[in-house]
Amino acid sequence: MNIAEILHKQVEETPETPAILEMRRGARGRVSFADLELRARRGVTLLRQKGVQTGDTVLLMMPLSTDFYVALIAIFRLGAIALILDSDAKSDEVDRACTLCRPKAIITTTKNLIGRFFSRAFRKIALKFTIGFSLPPLISWQKSQTLETDPKITEIEPQTPALIVSTVGLYDQLKFIELTHHYLGVQQKSLGEILLLHPGEIDITLQPLLGLINLGLGVTSLLPKFQTQKPLMTQIKPIIDAINKYQPTRIVAAPTLLENLIEALLKKRELLTSLYKIFIWGTPVLPSRLNQVNQIAPQAEIIAIYGETAAIASLSRREIEVSDVSQMQTGKGLLVGKPAPDIQLRIISNQWGAPVVPYQNQAEFEATCRPYSEPGEIVLQGDRFLTRTLNELGDEPMNFRVGDQQWYRTGDAGYLDSQGRLWLLGPCQDCIQDKFGVIYPLTVECAVDYNREVQRIAFFSYRYQRTLVVEMADQSGDRTLFQRSLSSVLESLQWANVEALRVVEKIPMDKRYPRRVDRVALERMLDEQD
């Protein structure tokens, strides 16, 4: 099975339907499914002529574009492996990727190659294909479009690697994950169902793998002039321009991007009238974010997806009941919805930081799982989690075995309610255990989220006290009202046993993960206040 076969079926079924609408190319940015495959076939011819063979690794470093997907499909059809890195990836990430994966070729922009002229990793790559003007010994990728087409799709085993992508794993270390053709096929089917994808829709596409899923399901991918490494504030106008021009029906975006989109549209007093499905995928999505998105797209169904790299559970804003809101306000955690139907999800005792001893069989494992409403560590099993980490020794600590099955540890704590819905408590490592018992900071953050006068909070153990750090939404208002708001926050958190309250002008956030508090910088700030 070659994932390119699934893409080829769309060419047979809807050859003239737009596969890609690329804003950076203007009128030339409309590419049909048939034209996309035609260009990919010619790309295969060029790769073969220059010596790229089945099983070789090809490094892709370019913005999300038609050229990106032409190259990616060509690599799949050839049976080679695509190593995907952002075009603005840091030098240490590129060096590490090249050391681990040893790419035979690279396809990138000429500007990128020139900018990395002194990169030792780049110099070791034998074949350099460039998008844009070309100088010897660089190979012009555009010249492939003057060649004959190669109609062959290489037959390979399902477990053959197709993609290598980077991610951040345990203890924030950089990891490289190998995805097989079988994995991509399973992911395409399952995410197509979770994201409710239907042929003929137009989807704003900001992530490479989501674009690949669109191509396999006959969905048109709208590509704004988006670059992942640039500040989000500079990215919003291109996205709004793409929306206004093509009137897409759906978007999958991270919470931080939607925050900026909401702010920009509220200032312009505009609404997203064409979107009827908005998926928020990334860090845990608090209720206020769902309500804010509803302000700019009142007719759309807004769905939060839990899972950093894979869709584990999903929850529509319309599914949240009054009783659910009450529980989230009183420390019961964040409701994230029912687990995806194609995975198994269980709650085990929280033993994060230590390996899980293998279980002989499923019955032995089930006997140790936590019953409904009892919190613990969230673990998963399913084909969508069967990936290979290239730079991690063995399966531990992220995986463990139950008989012949491999289970995956999320690192998050939570519980299942009587309806089978998952409630998230936050990262296992954030758990606070003290004289009052056990508490997770996310439960406090979720409860305070309903207070509109609070911009952001951080809750953690500081100098052995449960400390609540507050950043108010309006810091220039009446001091009496300010104090009254703080008193209201504390009164609503009696169950959390807050021992110390600190107010700061701005809570520092982690530059790598904009939704995560920079705990080290915050502690330094509190130390300086004392």
Side-chain angles (χ1 to χ4, degrees):
M1 173 213 168
N2 189 319
I3 190 67
E5 295 171 7
I6 297 177
L7 306 178
H8 176 68
K9 288 180 181 178
Q10 285 304 322
V11 178
E12 295 179 331
E13 295 175 4
T14 56
E16 299 307 317
T17 299
I20 293 175
L21 299 170
E22 185 183 348
M23 289 293 291
R24 69 181 75 236
R25 287 177 177 262
R28 296 183 294 113
R30 185 188 186 279
V31 180
S32 69
F33 280 92
D35 190 34
L36 186 67
E37 183 173 90
L38 181 66
R39 297 186 193 187
R41 287 181 176 186
R42 288 173 172 156
V44 173
T45 301
L46 181 62
L47 291 173
R48 286 191 192 279
Q49 284 183 357
K50 298 303 179 181
V52 180
Q53 302 175 6
T54 300
D56 287 339
T57 298
V58 180
L59 172 57
L60 280 183
M61 288 187 69
M62 63 181 78
L64 209 55
S65 60
T66 303
D67 287 325
F68 173 87
Y69 285 107
V70 168
L72 184 63
I73 296 169
I75 292 168
F76 288 158
R77 294 177 71 91
L78 182 58
I81 305 165
L83 166 60
I84 297 178
L85 293 180
D86 191 87
S87 56
D88 297 319
K90 295 180 179 179
S91 297
D92 59 343
E93 181 178 353
V94 176
D95 291 345
R96 196 166 175 192
C98 290
T99 300
L100 279 169
C101 307
R102 301 183 182 278
K104 183 175 184 178
I106 180 173
I107 307 176
T108 187
T109 62
T110 307
K111 179 181 177 182
N112 199 20
L113 277 175
I114 294 174
R116 299 176 187 268
F117 180 78
F118 295 103
S119 169
R120 182 179 300 176
F122 269 37
R123 288 201 298 270
K124 289 183 177 180
I125 299 175
L127 301 170
K128 299 178 177 66
F129 298 88
T130 62
I131 308 292
F133 69 91
S134 180
L135 298 170
L138 307 181
I139 306 165
S140 172
W141 180 253
Q142 280 90 341
K143 285 188 176 179
S144 66
Q145 299 311 305
T146 65
L147 303 176
E148 294 294 324
T149 64
D150 186 335
K152 180 182 178 183
I153 297 178
T154 304
E155 293 185 12
I156 49 180
E157 294 297 320
Q159 297 306 326
T160 301
L163 273 179
I164 299 173
V165 295
S166 63
T167 186
V168 177
L170 185 66
Y171 309 124
D172 293 340
Q173 89 277 24
L174 184 67
K175 300 198 302 183
F176 293 90
I177 306 294
E178 199 173 68
L179 310 179
T180 66
H181 286 263
H182 171 74
Y183 173 93
L184 292 177
V186 170
Q187 185 190 56
Q188 185 159 270
K189 182 178 183 301
S190 59
L191 289 188
E193 295 172 354
I194 293 168
L195 299 177
L196 308 173
L197 292 166
H198 301 291
E201 292 185 300
I202 300 177
D203 175 69
I204 301 178
T205 305
L206 305 172
Q207 299 178 31
L209 292 186
L210 289 178
L212 184 61
I213 291 168
N214 288 343
L215 292 176
L217 295 173
V219 175
T220 301
S221 292
L222 172 57
L223 308 181
K225 296 178 182 178
F226 186 81
Q227 291 180 299
T228 56
Q229 296 296 323
K230 285 192 174 182
L232 281 175
M233 288 301 294
T234 66
Q235 307 273 26
I236 298 307
K237 185 180 183 302
I239 293 175
I240 294 176
D241 290 344
I243 291 172
N244 290 336
K245 182 173 182 178
Y246 287 107
Q247 298 293 294
T249 52
R250 54 189 300 117
I251 184 173
V252 182
T256 46
L257 188 146
L258 284 172
E259 283 179 20
N260 287 273
L261 186 60
I262 290 164
E263 182 179 347
L265 289 172
L266 289 178
K267 285 181 179 178
K268 295 164 65 96
R269 297 184 179 180
E270 293 183 5
L271 296 177
L272 299 177
T273 55
S274 66
L275 294 173
Y276 71 89
K277 292 284 184 186
I278 299 177
F279 293 86
I280 313 176
W281 194 351
T283 53
V285 182
L286 297 176
S288 64
R289 190 70 60 245
L290 299 178
N291 295 333
Q292 287 172 349
V293 175
N294 186 62
Q295 286 183 275
I296 61 169
Q299 78 292 337
E301 183 174 8
I302 303 158
I303 301 172
I305 296 178
Y306 162 61
E308 289 283 352
T309 56
I312 296 170
S314 59
L315 178 72
S316 171
R317 180 177 178 272
R318 299 170 183 173
E319 296 172 347
I320 302 175
E321 304 288 346
V322 174
S323 58
D324 299 327
V325 173
S326 177
Q327 291 202 76
M328 286 189 278
Q329 288 178 316
T330 54
K332 299 302 187 294
L334 175 65
L335 178 62
V336 294
K338 288 192 174 182
D342 65 318
I343 66 173
Q344 294 187 67
L345 185 148
R346 298 290 187 274
I347 309 296
I348 64 173
S349 60
N350 187 354
Q351 46 195 305
W352 188 250
V356 175
V357 177
Y359 293 87
Q360 294 297 318
N361 51 57
Q362 188 74 16
E364 180 187 355
F365 172 60
E366 295 288 353
T368 65
C369 292
R370 310 305 289 266
Y372 288 128
S373 301
E374 287 196 16
E377 186 181 330
I378 302 169
V379 297
L380 311 163
Q381 195 278 326
D383 285 349
R384 282 195 284 132
F385 306 105
L386 293 178
T387 59
R388 190 168 76 92
T389 305
L390 297 183
N391 54 327
E392 186 173 73
L393 298 176
D395 290 339
E396 302 294 353
M398 295 302 292
N399 302 320
F400 65 97
R401 301 199 72 81
V402 177
D404 294 331
Q405 289 184 336
Q406 182 170 280
W407 282 70
Y408 176 78
R409 303 174 73 180
T410 64
D412 285 335
Y415 62 92
L416 292 165
D417 64 16
S418 58
Q419 300 176 52
R421 301 179 304 174
L422 181 63
W423 290 73
L424 187 65
L425 298 175
C428 293
Q429 62 187 14
D430 288 353
C431 175
I432 298 172
Q433 299 186 58
D434 56 17
K435 60 188 176 185
F436 297 111
V438 175
I439 192 169
Y440 289 87
L442 179 63
T443 62
V444 179
E445 183 181 354
C446 186
V448 178
D449 182 65
Y450 284 93
N451 190 319
R452 295 182 179 180
E453 295 167 323
V454 176
Q455 178 69 25
R456 184 176 285 115
I457 72 151
F459 182 77
F460 64 110
S461 180
Y462 174 67
R463 296 182 180 177
Y464 304 103
Q465 286 187 314
R466 291 190 177 187
T467 302
L468 178 68
V469 182
V470 179
E471 175 189 330
M472 302 301 289
D474 182 9
Q475 301 180 22
S476 60
D478 184 277
R479 298 300 298 178
T480 303
L481 292 177
F482 186 84
Q483 291 298 330
R484 190 179 301 167
S485 298
L486 290 176
S487 298
S488 174
V489 170
L490 284 177
E491 185 177 350
S492 68
L493 292 176
Q494 291 183 11
W495 51 269
N497 296 301
V498 177
E499 296 177 275
L501 173 66
R502 305 289 290 268
V503 180
V504 298
E505 184 176 336
K506 191 171 185 63
I507 292 176
M509 307 303 290
D510 193 317
K511 293 179 181 179
R512 297 166 300 173
Y513 315 101
R515 295 288 299 170
R516 185 183 300 177
V517 173
D518 187 334
R519 186 72 58 81
V520 174
L522 180 57
E523 290 189 10
R524 189 183 305 120
M525 181 185 295
L526 297 182
D527 289 341
E528 291 173 354
Q529 283 186 352
D530 293 339

